[in-house]
Amino acid sequence: MKNLLLLRHAKSCWENLSLVDFQRPLNDRGREAAQRMAAYLGDHMPLPDHVVCSTAQRTRETLSALVKVYANDYQLDFRRDLYMPTPTRLMGVIQASDPEVETLMIVSHNPGLEELACVLSKDPRGEQMQDMLTKYPTAACAHFRFEAEDWTDVKIGQGHLVKFIKPRALD
């Protein structure tokens, strides 16, 4: 079994209009949501063996909240190509993952992250899936499980959506 966690970055700040999109930090609400989500993920989701994160400022700040709660050993990679990725790029990252990794977490951006999440499940009719199809807000995380021994076997429409959690659900 392989577990995949798809975490969208928390809410970013638009106050400094001179910053390029890539450099935008989290706003206060985003930092608070990242901390709440980190606590929830650390207690209720499988702990990742490998985390792959976009190099954008807001994804790195979102990840920093997780780093504080994950006490397990994991590999961490920052990748520029996960800034505004296509679903195809994300699938490439997933399928290229080391077979020894049981739980992979990707911290990235919409629309690519949401587009991928919406096509991974083999059952698009479930309540959580419908919730995810409605909106994949900032700091939301989807947990998929795949009956696969190798990440190369992870395919579109083959996953089971175990949980979709949004920061608002933790209020």
Side-chain angles (χ1 to χ4, degrees):
M1 294 289 240
K2 298 293 183 192
N3 290 291
L4 175 64
L5 304 172
L6 298 177
L7 177 64
R8 183 178 176 202
H9 65 80
K11 193 164 241 1
S12 60
C13 181
W14 288 86
E15 288 177 4
N16 185 347
L17 298 178
S18 67
L19 288 177
V20 296
D21 183 69
F22 185 81
Q23 296 173 331
R24 281 190 293 118
L26 297 182
N27 65 18
D28 290 342
R29 185 172 144 203
R31 282 188 288 280
E32 193 269 329
Q35 290 171 358
R36 284 188 297 127
M37 285 296 289
Y40 179 87
L41 296 175
D43 289 342
H44 296 92
M45 297 271 192
L47 297 175
D49 306 305
H50 189 188
V51 177
V52 185
C53 182
S54 159
T55 55
Q57 180 67 26
R58 59 192 178 271
T59 51
R60 289 184 292 125
E61 284 186 37
T62 301
L63 177 62
S64 72
L66 289 167
V67 168
K68 293 174 185 170
V69 299
Y70 285 165
N72 63 309
D73 290 329
Y74 58 90
Q75 181 181 350
L76 175 59
D77 289 317
F78 290 99
R79 294 181 54 151
R80 172 78 180 194
D81 64 343
L82 289 186
Y83 172 67
M84 301 304 198
T86 64
T88 302
R89 163 60 58 203
L90 290 166
M91 277 303 291
V93 170
I94 293 164
Q95 291 176 333
S97 294
D98 185 324
E100 298 298 315
V101 170
E102 302 261 338
T103 302
L104 172 66
M105 172 181 266
I106 296 179
V107 185
S108 193
H109 310 261
N110 274 2
L113 194 75
E114 178 177 11
E115 290 170 359
L116 177 63
C118 288
V119 297
L120 284 175
S121 180
K122 58 183 159 187
D123 181 14
R125 294 175 304 275
E127 184 178 322
Q128 290 190 93
M129 189 67 191
Q130 290 302 309
D131 188 28
M132 188 173 67
L133 289 168
T134 301
K135 186 172 184 185
Y136 205 114
T138 53
C141 186
H143 171 203
F144 290 92
R145 184 169 293 134
F146 294 87
E147 294 180 27
E149 291 188 28
D150 193 289
W151 289 101
T152 58
D153 299 326
V154 169
K155 307 281 189 239
I156 300 293
Q158 298 293 314
H160 168 70
L161 179 61
V162 178
K163 184 80 172 171
F164 178 63
I165 189 72
K166 302 179 282 192
R168 184 176 298 173
L170 303 178
D171 291 340

